[in-house]
Amino acid sequence: MRASLRELVRYPSAVAGLCILAFLVALSVYAVVAIPYGEAIRLWSGGEALWARNPRHARPEWMGWLWGGRLPRTLVVRSTEVPAQERDLGGGVRQLEFALPFDYPYRRFPPELAVFLRADYREQAPQVELGWRTPDGSQVHLANLSPRRQDVYRVSADGDLRRALGGAPEVVLFSRPGQPGEATPGRYALEVRAYLFEPGSTVQVELVVYGEVHGLAGTDHLRRDLTLPLLWGTPIALAFGLLAAVGSSLSTLLIAAVGAWYGGWVDGLIQRITEVNLILPALPILILIGTLYSRSLWVILGAVVLLGVFGGGIKTYRALFLQVRESPYVEAARAYGVGNLRMVVVYLVPRAVPVLLPQFVTLIPGFVFLEATLALLGLGDPVLPTWGKVIEDAYRAGALYVGHTYWVLQPAAMLVLSGLAFTLLGFALDRVFNPRLREL
């Protein structure tokens, strides 16, 4: 093994494959440690409510760098960070006033505005007036609200405000009169006046000015941060590919060795089952399982392993084991009275390792792409954040047709990167363990 490893690192393709594989493994470890499995599922399947403060369809921040920093980022201003003035109006009514100022340095308009409110009261909800102050001192009345304990006022979705302003609120509120084509940089403020009718009642307000970029990977149509599936898709893809390759390869190897050693009706039965299995369409069978039974990733994994047990590799391994069975050292072991099980496991199977290892490595990306294919067909696990699920969501939302190319390209790049790592390593292993290829 040491000699083989020294021979392996002589190939640049093997070094490149190992480096990419090390990066994917490190990414997997980070994902599992930073975001536990249960938390990842909760975040991914929790819906838009968990990601309400993220912009919708935001590009990755690195795309903002390519634009020279001109794409606006999300700005958040909270009432807990500013002073408030409280006055007693008599009759048990109190008035609370404060402003949420912020600097807006961009020429592009924000895609959306929202105000998150939290009201603490027993029976009578407070009344809240919202106003807007522009850099030139102009004031615009936004809305009168009677918020629930947890409430959201979507400024951009207010039809009455849109009609009153004569255009989209996120455009009109940031425009300079006479210059509607671009946003006006400057200091803006959300002005809040709340009337409280109960002792001890309070109102907290949070203004979110959504941007066009967010995080390392952007967001999707449900505002979910795509960094989560890109990170967690790595251990899921590697685990699925590795387990499927190990299960199908080792079982195929052992079955071929048993058939070649025992011969007779045992070998004949194994060959007939293999020939029947070879004509079965694996992908349609997996589609039927996902449609009629379960779309769980682990159910699909079990089906993949079962379909791969009697694969075409049995024919290749059988031819190799038939030659090994006639070797002098096997005859000597038989003369010493070695049992059948020991003969198969100790004397036959190790001779196939040089053939098995390169094929095993190159099998892994095939299973990774199989999981992505099933997800793209709508048969992916609905609760797991995988690369294939991201591509399926992007396809259903028409991401490529509305300019959200990052939504598709990032998981596709991760799939290509994983396939490239195992392919480069597999080809190098084939040269190391196959003397005839080494001479080329």
Side-chain angles (χ1 to χ4, degrees):
M1 293 300 296
R2 292 178 181 175
S4 299
L5 184 60
R6 284 195 297 267
E7 182 71 18
L8 183 65
V9 296
R10 292 179 51 224
Y11 294 96
S13 61
V15 176
L18 288 172
C19 290
I20 298 174
L21 189 57
F23 167 73
L24 294 176
V25 171
L27 204 62
S28 301
V29 173
Y30 173 78
V32 173
V33 173
I35 311 173
Y37 180 76
E39 179 68 8
I41 292 178
R42 186 188 71 85
L43 291 174
W44 180 247
S45 58
E48 187 174 344
L50 292 176
W51 306 94
R53 288 165 176 77
N54 287 352
R56 194 192 309 271
H57 294 306
R59 300 180 179 93
E61 288 194 2
W62 56 266
M63 294 187 69
W65 302 335
L66 296 179
W67 281 66
R70 296 191 300 272
L71 297 180
R73 295 185 176 185
T74 300
L75 303 175
V76 180
V77 190
R78 300 176 177 87
S79 60
T80 56
E81 301 171 352
V82 298
Q85 295 180 353
E86 183 176 337
R87 289 193 304 166
D88 189 353
L89 302 181
V93 180
R94 291 175 294 129
Q95 178 181 289
L96 191 65
E97 288 186 326
F98 54 86
L100 303 181
F102 65 96
D103 293 316
Y104 191 80
Y106 307 104
R107 293 286 182 180
R108 294 173 64 93
F109 295 105
E112 192 178 356
L113 296 173
V115 179
F116 293 82
L117 302 103
R118 178 179 177 179
D120 294 329
Y121 61 92
R122 291 192 301 273
E123 296 179 0
Q124 190 170 2
Q127 298 294 317
V128 178
E129 296 179 4
L130 299 179
W132 187 262
R133 188 173 70 243
T134 61
D136 60 2
S138 302
Q139 293 183 327
V140 179
H141 176 71
L142 297 183
N144 294 325
L145 305 174
S146 180
R148 299 183 297 270
R149 287 177 171 80
Q150 297 282 348
D151 209 347
V152 181
Y153 170 55
R154 298 282 177 185
V155 181
S156 302
D158 189 340
D160 294 336
L161 180 63
R162 180 182 293 266
R163 287 188 291 271
L165 296 177
E170 65 273 13
V171 174
V172 177
L173 294 177
F174 285 86
S175 296
R176 179 179 297 173
Q179 297 181 351
E182 62 179 22
T184 303
R187 191 168 183 82
Y188 295 82
L190 176 71
E191 296 181 337
V192 181
R193 179 179 296 167
Y195 297 94
L196 309 174
F197 305 104
E198 295 177 350
S201 61
T202 60
V203 172
Q204 295 181 7
V205 180
E206 182 178 346
L207 170 67
V208 179
V209 182
Y210 293 96
E212 294 186 47
V213 294
H214 181 83
L216 295 177
T219 61
D220 63 5
H221 60 305
L222 297 178
R223 306 180 188 271
R224 295 177 297 189
D225 193 339
L226 293 178
T227 306
L228 173 67
L230 290 183
L231 284 175
W232 253 100
T234 308
I236 293 174
L238 294 182
F240 185 89
L242 185 63
L243 291 175
V246 168
S248 57
S249 297
L250 292 182
S251 57
T252 298
L253 184 66
L254 290 173
I255 291 173
V258 169
W261 177 252
Y262 285 96
W265 69 268
V266 175
D267 187 37
L269 178 62
I270 291 174
Q271 297 308 309
R272 300 297 82 76
I273 295 175
T274 301
E275 290 161 3
V276 171
N277 186 64
L278 288 176
I279 65 174
L280 293 177
L283 185 58
I285 291 175
L286 294 176
I287 292 175
L288 285 175
I289 293 174
T291 303
L292 302 177
Y293 180 63
S294 173
R295 289 192 293 164
S296 170
L297 184 69
W298 312 117
V299 172
I300 297 297
L301 175 62
V304 168
V305 172
L306 289 177
L307 290 172
V309 167
F310 290 92
I314 284 184
K315 299 287 186 180
T316 303
Y317 295 137
R318 176 177 179 271
L320 173 63
F321 289 136
L322 288 177
Q323 297 178 7
V324 175
R325 191 177 65 175
E326 306 302 328
S327 300
Y329 81 95
V330 173
E331 293 294 335
R334 183 184 297 175
Y336 276 107
V338 174
N340 291 327
L341 180 60
R342 181 178 175 82
M343 186 68 73
V344 170
V345 175
V346 177
Y347 290 89
L348 294 185
V349 170
R351 291 296 297 271
V353 170
V355 179
L356 171 69
L357 196 56
Q359 292 184 1
F360 165 75
V361 173
T362 53
L363 272 178
I364 295 177
F367 290 118
V368 172
F369 276 86
L370 175 62
E371 184 276 328
T373 301
L374 292 173
L376 187 58
L377 293 174
L379 300 173
D381 195 315
V383 300
L384 289 180
T386 64
W387 299 333
K389 186 63 178 173
V390 174
I391 297 176
E392 185 217 356
D393 290 341
Y395 170 74
R396 292 184 180 277
L400 290 177
Y401 304 103
V402 294
H404 305 309
T405 54
Y406 67 92
W407 196 355
V408 178
L409 294 180
Q410 292 177 135
M414 295 299 292
L415 283 168
V416 171
L417 194 65
S418 62
L420 181 64
F422 288 105
T423 301
L424 291 174
L425 184 59
F427 286 164
L429 287 171
D430 211 6
R431 285 182 171 271
V432 170
F433 289 105
N434 193 333
R436 286 179 295 182
L437 289 178
R438 200 181 309 168
E439 296 172 0
L440 297 179

